[in-house]
Amino acid sequence: MSGLPKIDTEGLKSFIPDDEIFQWLEKTKHPDAERVREIIRKSLDKNRLDPEEMATLINADSPELVEEIFEGARELKRRIYGNRIVLFAPLYVGNECVNRCAYCGFRADNTEVHRKTLLSEELVAEVEALEDLGHKRLIMVYGEHPKYDAQYIHDTVKEVYAVKKGPGEIRRVNINAAPLDVDGFKTVKSAGIGTYQIFQETYHRETYKQVHKGGPKSDFLWRLHGLDRAMEAGIDDLGIGALLGLYDWRFETMALLYHTIHLEKKFNVGPHTISFPRLEPAIGTDIEALTKKHAVSDFDFKRLVAILRLAVPYTGLILTCRESTELRNEMLGFGVSQIDGGSSIGVGSYSQKDPEAFKKSQFLLGDNRSLDEIIRELCEAGFVPSFCTGCYRKGRTGEHFMEFAIPGFVKRFCTPNAVLTFLEYLNDYASGETLAAGLKQIDRELEAMPESKAKDELLNRMQQVREGARDLY
Ligand code: SAM
Ligand code: SF4
């Protein structure tokens, strides 16, 4: 066991300019409606926005302008991304942790949580249970602990890819784990991961210090530069995020943009995805005290998602299904591209029916709908659930960027692949009711496609799926 990487932050500086962010937020107060419209148009013309422009949208808080921002986000989603929503599930591998993040149930000094790391056979049982639900795409989640070093992450990813139950298989594994050193990231990359996700939690240094009370994660700069090291190791599919509720959402949203610009400037590639989880209650944790000042209302949450959609039009936006159906469907319309479904966030809780599972959970889930129910609701709301992992397996990293940047990409690849993987799901896993709703949605999608060679090809492949072929892309 080689343990945790040695932290070395010599020469590192923060690329989040706090003062500049506050200045932009101050300078752009009470914006002119025409200026707001000009910024929305810039985004619809497929340009990433600058900090001054994002700050202007943040300050455009009259009901009329907020509605124009929402409509801008909807229009961008319609023009670029279509109706597809990619589904994934989190898989918690172990909740042992040496850090003391005040908001997290897994923190080292939380005596109420039951510690658990999946044994190899338990990991296999979890993956089988996820495959039985129909999942093809996972995000594996780890506490920060010497046990979960780069080699361990690599080995567990490999184990997951090897599990095949019935027609099930996991085709893409993403990672949410502590930042590694460059060699560690190289090791993890060699297991064939998709995205490596690290959330900064809060970009506000003072708040960061207050809530990270001990352990390697309390080093702001080591974490902030984590994705730079991942890039240096050759992982260019990166996920950034902020945990909302710790500090002012306006600042955090601006900081996510600065992080994006930093990656663009330094590596010529922005983040693949942006996440914006809101703080959830956690066992043994006083979340209310933590969010007293900065809890994010549903309305502001919608605003920040729409603003992020406009500001960084090329990234995937990830929403967890803990949000209410109504809010979620609205935000899907703004361009959220991925959601989790049927999630269970206790270690071992997909395969074990443990009434005390919540004691091994990082936080408490408000939404316990099954994947089947979520899929049915998505269809009823006019979305096409997708389990596509085609780009990743064709060696095309940064699929959201390609969807955005290459004219016709979504029509050529994403929509047909969404339909094919969804049809697989419907044939193999759906309940009768979901099957009916799903087939109706596929019909609607086909009707909207003009007659073409591509459509004939899709119809032909759909027939192959009905006859038992799988994984066509
Ligand atoms: N240990 C690694 C780390 O901290 O980066 C990865 C796993 S950690 C469990 C994954 C993410 O969970 C954290 O980055 C944080 O944003 C989120 N999280 C922690 N506590 C939470 C809570 N109470 N509600 C919602 N999300 C939370
Ligand atoms: Fe550990 Fe991550 Fe939870 Fe912090 S957020 S206590 S590092 S699992």
Side-chain angles (χ1 to χ4, degrees):
M1 192 163 61
S2 54
L4 298 172
K6 191 174 159 295
I7 291 183
D8 177 6
T9 53
E10 220 188 287
L12 295 186
K13 283 205 296 235
S14 175
F15 47 79
I16 304 297
D18 293 27
D19 290 347
E20 197 175 300
I21 292 180
F22 290 123
Q23 277 163 20
W24 281 132
L25 287 170
E26 198 48 46
K27 271 193 196 159
T28 55
K29 282 211 163 125
H30 315 295
D32 176 56
E34 209 25 65
R35 174 72 186 127
V36 172
R37 287 177 198 136
E38 192 178 49
I39 294 169
I40 296 173
R41 279 197 297 274
K42 175 175 171 185
S43 167
L44 289 174
D45 284 341
K46 298 178 78 171
N47 297 297
R48 203 247 306 123
L49 300 182
D50 293 326
E52 177 267 330
E53 293 161 335
M54 177 187 257
T56 306
L57 296 186
I58 289 175
N59 278 317
D61 53 6
S62 70
E64 302 76 39
L65 287 180
V66 169
E67 189 42 47
E68 289 190 34
I69 290 171
F70 287 175
E71 190 43 36
R74 286 186 206 111
E75 179 59 21
L76 191 94
K77 151 103 180 153
R78 280 192 293 264
R79 278 196 204 173
I80 298 178
Y81 293 105
N83 292 332
R84 294 158 308 115
I85 302 295
V86 169
L87 286 150
F88 69 95
L91 169 55
Y92 281 71
V93 183
N95 66 8
E96 293 175 72
C97 193
V98 294
N99 290 315
R100 290 194 288 132
C101 311
Y103 45 81
C104 179
F106 294 170
R107 68 186 184 281
D109 54 354
N110 188 1
T111 50
E112 289 185 44
V113 82
H114 291 190
R115 301 294 161 176
K116 173 76 190 157
T117 298
L118 293 176
L119 300 170
S120 178
E121 59 273 24
E122 291 169 331
L123 179 64
V124 170
E126 286 290 276
V127 179
E128 287 182 344
L130 283 158
E131 288 181 359
D132 280 345
L133 294 174
H135 277 294
K136 300 284 184 276
R137 189 186 267 255
L138 301 184
I139 179 145
M140 291 173 72
V141 186
Y142 306 76
E144 182 161 4
H145 193 275
K147 276 187 187 177
Y148 315 138
D149 63 5
Q151 191 60 45
Y152 179 83
I153 296 176
H154 167 280
D155 295 349
T156 42
V157 170
K158 284 281 202 195
E159 259 184 292
V160 167
Y161 279 132
V163 177
K164 315 263 178 214
K165 177 143 187 256
E169 61 179 347
I170 300 303
R171 298 176 184 161
R172 175 173 174 135
V173 172
N174 298 331
I175 298 291
N176 186 323
L180 305 168
D181 53 23
V182 175
D183 285 342
F185 278 121
K186 283 185 183 159
T187 302
V188 172
K189 178 181 160 63
S190 71
I193 62 160
T195 309
Y196 201 104
Q197 210 178 56
I198 302 172
F199 304 156
Q200 188 62 24
E201 322 296 10
T202 172
Y203 287 90
H204 187 249
R205 244 176 133 152
E206 192 47 44
T207 307
Y208 191 94
K209 206 161 113 194
Q210 282 163 17
V211 295
H212 297 105
K213 296 170 187 297
K217 189 164 165 182
S218 54
D219 196 312
F220 178 87
L221 288 176
W222 176 251
R223 194 165 180 93
L224 189 65
H225 286 263
L227 291 173
D228 290 42
R229 295 193 297 280
M231 254 330 166
E232 281 156 29
I235 304 178
D236 58 4
D237 249 325
L238 302 175
I240 63 172
L243 183 57
L244 298 172
L246 296 172
Y247 189 63
D248 188 346
W249 66 267
R250 296 165 186 82
F251 179 90
E252 306 290 15
T253 311
M254 291 286 289
L256 285 166
L257 179 61
Y258 276 96
H259 198 163
T260 299
I261 294 172
H262 166 79
L263 292 170
E264 279 180 9
K265 275 196 185 143
K266 190 163 169 192
F267 301 102
N268 237 340
V269 186
H272 182 57
T273 57
I274 302 182
S275 302
F276 27 81
R278 286 198 284 189
L279 268 170
E280 299 284 334
I283 188 168
T285 308
D286 190 354
I287 293 289
E288 241 172 68
L290 283 166
T291 52
K292 221 189 256 163
K293 269 170 77 186
H294 300 295
V296 181
S297 68
D298 285 359
F299 181 64
D300 285 341
F301 193 44
K302 285 196 283 187
R303 287 179 60 206
L304 79 88
V305 174
I307 291 170
L308 276 171
R309 173 67 306 151
L310 291 170
V312 197
Y314 63 77
T315 51
L317 297 181
I318 302 185
L319 180 70
T320 60
C321 76
R322 297 187 291 277
E323 304 298 344
S324 71
T325 312
E326 200 190 9
L327 190 67
R328 204 194 53 203
N329 285 348
E330 218 177 324
M331 307 225 307
L332 291 178
F334 292 166
V336 164
S337 44
Q338 297 185 26
I339 57 169
D340 57 335
S343 295
S344 202
I345 56 170
V347 181
S349 55
Y350 290 105
S351 53
Q352 299 159 20
K353 295 290 159 249
D354 175 0
E356 304 245 286
F358 69 93
K359 292 192 179 158
K360 294 182 205 139
S361 293
Q362 185 197 4
F363 45 79
L364 307 175
L365 268 188
D367 178 348
N368 292 307
R369 278 166 302 171
S370 66
L371 179 63
D372 189 77
E373 280 171 277
I374 288 175
I375 286 194
R376 190 162 64 241
E377 283 172 10
L378 285 175
C379 292
E380 286 162 359
F383 297 104
V384 181
S386 172
F387 293 89
C388 180
T389 53
C391 278
Y392 160 69
R393 277 156 339 117
K394 288 251 161 132
R396 297 189 294 246
T397 54
E399 74 257 25
H400 292 301
F401 185 77
M402 286 187 289
E403 290 165 17
F404 169 79
I406 303 174
F409 191 90
V410 169
K411 279 204 184 95
R412 235 173 96 208
F413 298 108
C414 310
T415 306
N417 285 349
V419 169
L420 290 171
T421 52
F422 185 38
L423 188 61
E424 280 187 18
Y425 171 86
L426 292 173
N427 278 320
D428 294 340
Y429 302 103
S431 66
E433 225 179 314
T434 300
L435 176 65
L439 291 177
K440 231 190 238 168
Q441 180 58 17
I442 290 184
D443 281 347
R444 279 194 289 263
E445 203 60 26
L446 290 172
E447 266 166 39
M449 278 182 201
E451 296 307 322
S452 63
K453 244 175 102 183
K455 184 171 177 180
D456 291 344
E457 172 76 358
L458 173 60
L459 290 170
N460 176 17
R461 288 178 157 208
M462 284 174 66
Q463 186 52 31
Q464 292 176 41
V465 170
R466 286 191 204 96
E467 288 164 5
R470 291 291 173 268
D471 204 15
L472 306 175
Y473 58 93

